[in-house]
Amino acid sequence: MAGHTWRRLLADRTARAAAGVLGAAALAAVLAPWIAGYDPTAQPDPVALRLAAPSWQHPFGTDPFSRDVCSRVLHGARISLGVAAGAMLLSVTLGTTLGALAAVLGGWVDGVVSALVDVLIAMPRLLVVIALVATFGALSPWWLVVLIGGSGWLTTARIVRAEVRDHQQREYVTAARALGASRWRIVWRHLLPAVAPQVAVAAALALAAVIPLEAALSFVGLGIQPPLPSWGNILLDGSDYLTTAWWLVVFPMAAITLTVGSALVLADRLRVAIAGEGRPS
Amino acid sequence: MNPLLSVQDLHVDAPGEGRSILRGVHLTLDAGETVGVLGTSGSGKTTLALALLNLLPPALRARGRVEFEGHDLRTLNHAALCAVRGRRCAMVFQEPLTALNPRQRVGAQVAEVATAHGEHDAARAMRSAIDLLGRTGLTDPGERAQRFPHQLSGGERQRVLLAMALLLDPALLIADEPTSALDVTVQAQVLQLLREQQRARGMALLLVSHDLGVLATTCRRLLVLHGGRIVEDAPTPQLLAAPVHPHARALVDTVRPAERRA
């Protein structure tokens, strides 16, 4: 199943750079316990090391509790990127499954899924999540994944439904049916591979949307609860010291911007690669 | 003996557009028989071919009976229909580039037909696919099988499509304008291949085309489709010599204007 879209993407230097940044961020998140110099929650000397500026010992400085900001950003990546990746996978899987089912089965299934998408897409996601958190109290990271992922499948479902319906009308699908391929074999062998690049775009965009969403929730105190560090609550801790200790805000912000930006660039380059489909590479 | 294929009073309507495409088509076809369906564009040729295998797009509604080997294909359930398609009755399409999946290697697409009909040994399916590709005249079939559709010529692509249709040795092959998208020289080669395979396998062939020349050299019997009905049904020599219906006469005239004017 060698798609030309993927090959074109691999040949794209910008796409490779964006994927590299995301890969490095993921690696840093996985390896945080081994590469972080300090325990992210340890408060070695709240008096002498309070709000220390970046130095060789503390490259990103320290916070009001003398905790090492670099270690906190690295450990925060575990939580922030973990929640983001989990939520992205959940929403893309849900969206692809529901969108494909709606397109293939049609009838009332299509009606229900489409109506659900139309209604839910009109709701502001952040406010819905805030309302739910406010109702049920602070959530564990797992619940955050379920909540953010469960509310993010709409656009993916819409894209997949439209793409599958388009490809169902193509002659090669009719030809496959004419030679005895069953409905589900066609979904598996022809339709899903055909929409995979579009799903990848949706996944990259979902990642770019979910990272700031988790950060925003944690920033308003409804997401990841201290002392567990996340990019959002590190920013929250630093927001009081914006004028006196810039390093508290700049480093977690840079981490968010870099990963979100890379995901957006990747989505954009994927679109370019898809647009080139059919032309010899 | 019952005919292999028997179509009775087949109607196809496009309710959305408020028009009928087929208005009561009757036709029968015996095992091993070669029948041509002649029709100008818009006469409902492709709709007829698709309707026979229950492949009409959802916007079209069909009525009538399509009996093939004793089963009414119009009322068969999904699983039974899938078992007939490709194994007992196969189809070749007009435009080989769009009828092949652009994202899959052609060898895999031929082998897939066997896999879809219960062949679990992928290596064996691929071997028989490559073997058949070679017999349809593809040079270096092992190498060609690794290519994607856009890396083959039009003639090669149509050979791949034919191999897909012939892989399971069907009793009936429906070919919808199988040569119209090809260059004239390639057209003759593919037609020759089609005739050879039909004869070697003793399968029935329903060839649909707008080209009387193509049909006359391949089919024993010709049907003329006009305005959604079969207006003429005669052995090829008889139709060429003395067409009865005015539309059939007009079509025959276009092929031999000088002779008939004399």
Side-chain angles (χ1 to χ4, degrees):
Chain A
M1 227 167 310
H4 306 279
T5 309
W6 307 122
R7 250 184 265 159
R8 227 187 310 275
L9 188 71
L10 275 177
D12 183 335
R13 214 176 281 163
T14 316
R16 284 207 306 262
V21 172
L22 285 178
L27 205 63
V30 171
L31 297 179
W34 293 278
I35 57 176
Y38 302 86
D39 178 343
T41 54
Q43 305 180 12
D45 191 346
V47 181
L49 270 175
R50 184 174 185 271
L51 295 174
S55 64
W56 285 113
Q57 282 76 38
H58 299 282
F60 294 0
T62 62
D63 72 358
F65 305 101
S66 76
R67 296 176 298 195
D68 179 50
V69 174
C70 181
S71 300
R72 286 182 67 70
V73 169
L74 282 172
H75 276 88
R78 273 171 97 76
I79 299 293
S80 292
L81 290 182
V83 168
M88 180 268 277
L89 280 177
L90 179 64
S91 71
V92 167
T93 310
L94 262 178
T96 306
T97 310
L98 289 172
L101 281 178
V104 172
L105 295 177
W108 67 268
V109 180
D110 190 19
V112 169
V113 171
S114 299
L116 207 60
V117 169
D118 287 340
V119 170
L120 293 181
I121 217 159
M123 294 187 181
R125 194 174 174 193
L126 184 60
L127 292 184
V128 171
V129 175
I130 285 176
L132 285 170
V133 176
T135 314
F136 298 108
L139 296 170
S140 72
W142 288 110
W143 274 110
L144 216 55
V145 167
V146 171
L147 214 57
I148 297 177
S151 63
W153 56 273
L154 307 167
T155 42
T156 311
R158 224 176 216 189
I159 293 166
V160 169
R161 178 179 172 274
E163 284 286 315
V164 167
R165 280 169 69 100
D166 173 32
H167 281 272
Q168 271 178 319
Q169 303 298 322
R170 307 252 174 125
E171 200 175 48
Y172 71 84
V173 171
T174 307
R177 285 168 62 208
L179 294 178
S182 69
R183 181 190 270 177
W184 300 115
R185 173 174 286 273
I186 284 172
V187 171
W188 193 246
R189 296 277 305 166
H190 296 289
L191 297 175
L192 286 182
V195 305
Q198 294 286 355
V199 171
V201 173
L205 289 177
L207 196 64
V210 159
I211 294 171
L213 190 60
E214 180 277 323
L217 281 173
S218 300
F219 186 78
V220 297
L222 293 171
I224 302 299
Q225 298 302 312
L228 211 55
S230 87
W231 290 348
N233 68 28
I234 300 173
L235 274 177
L236 173 61
D237 288 344
S239 58
D240 290 341
Y241 304 92
L242 194 55
T243 49
T244 49
W246 54 268
W247 52 91
L248 289 181
V249 175
V250 165
F251 291 112
M253 201 69 216
I256 292 172
T257 310
L258 219 60
T259 47
V260 171
S262 299
L264 287 174
V265 168
L266 200 58
D268 183 55
R269 300 315 295 174
L270 247 168
R271 280 211 189 105
V272 172
I274 291 171
E277 177 79 25
R279 264 183 273 142
S281 42
Chain B
M1 197 182 79
N2 283 330
L4 179 70
L5 173 74
S6 152
V7 177
Q8 289 143 37
D9 202 26
L10 180 66
H11 291 257
V12 174
D13 302 318
E17 302 165 42
R19 68 192 178 96
S20 302
I21 300 166
L22 296 182
R23 310 157 190 232
V25 168
H26 295 265
L27 73 89
T28 58
L29 205 140
D30 289 325
E33 199 184 6
T34 52
V35 173
V37 177
L38 178 67
T40 48
S41 62
S43 61
K45 295 187 304 267
T46 297
T47 305
L48 174 61
L50 292 175
L52 293 181
L53 277 181
N54 235 351
L55 289 168
L56 291 174
L60 299 183
R61 295 270 170 278
R63 285 177 286 134
R65 277 179 77 80
V66 177
E67 215 166 279
F68 175 76
E69 294 188 322
H71 304 285
D72 186 355
L73 296 187
R74 300 242 323 102
T75 55
L76 227 48
N77 68 39
H78 182 68
L81 193 60
C82 287
V84 171
R85 291 169 177 166
R87 180 179 285 286
R88 300 301 306 155
C89 176
M91 193 158 169
V92 175
F93 288 78
Q94 173 169 3
E95 176 47 78
L97 186 56
T98 56
L100 290 167
N101 187 330
R103 274 166 296 275
Q104 282 179 23
R105 297 173 198 279
V106 294
Q109 298 195 51
V110 180
E112 169 78 6
V113 177
T115 318
H117 286 278
E119 170 64 80
H120 295 296
D121 186 342
R124 194 162 62 192
M126 187 54 89
R127 271 199 306 278
S128 58
I130 290 174
D131 177 53
L132 184 54
L133 284 172
R135 277 187 284 141
T136 58
L138 220 59
T139 49
D140 198 358
E143 183 270 335
R144 290 291 195 281
Q146 292 302 310
R147 296 200 188 179
F148 290 95
H150 73 264
Q151 295 167 328
L152 296 178
S153 72
E156 288 174 323
R157 285 196 284 261
Q158 196 55 282
R159 287 171 203 272
V160 170
L161 222 53
L162 196 61
M164 286 171 75
L166 296 177
L167 189 68
L168 300 178
D169 226 346
L172 168 64
L173 179 68
I174 300 171
D176 178 15
E177 299 269 17
T179 57
S180 305
L182 305 175
D183 295 341
V184 182
T185 48
V186 182
Q187 220 172 52
Q189 290 167 12
V190 170
L191 219 53
Q192 179 62 28
L193 172 66
L194 198 61
R195 278 193 291 265
E196 280 167 18
Q197 292 289 331
Q198 183 274 325
R199 229 168 287 143
R201 291 160 192 266
M203 68 179 175
L205 175 68
L206 187 72
L207 185 58
V208 176
S209 180
H210 69 283
D211 188 335
L212 184 55
V214 164
L215 295 179
T217 54
T218 311
C219 304
R220 291 260 176 102
R221 184 156 67 92
L222 293 182
L223 312 175
V224 178
L225 189 64
H226 178 58
R229 286 193 192 87
I230 303 278
V231 295
E232 184 125 13
D233 179 349
T236 306
Q238 188 186 323
L239 186 115
L240 290 176
V244 179
H245 191 274
H247 183 70
R249 206 175 304 144
L251 287 172
V252 172
D253 280 349
T254 58
V255 187
R256 304 177 169 169
E259 197 178 315
R260 292 195 64 83
R261 243 181 266 125

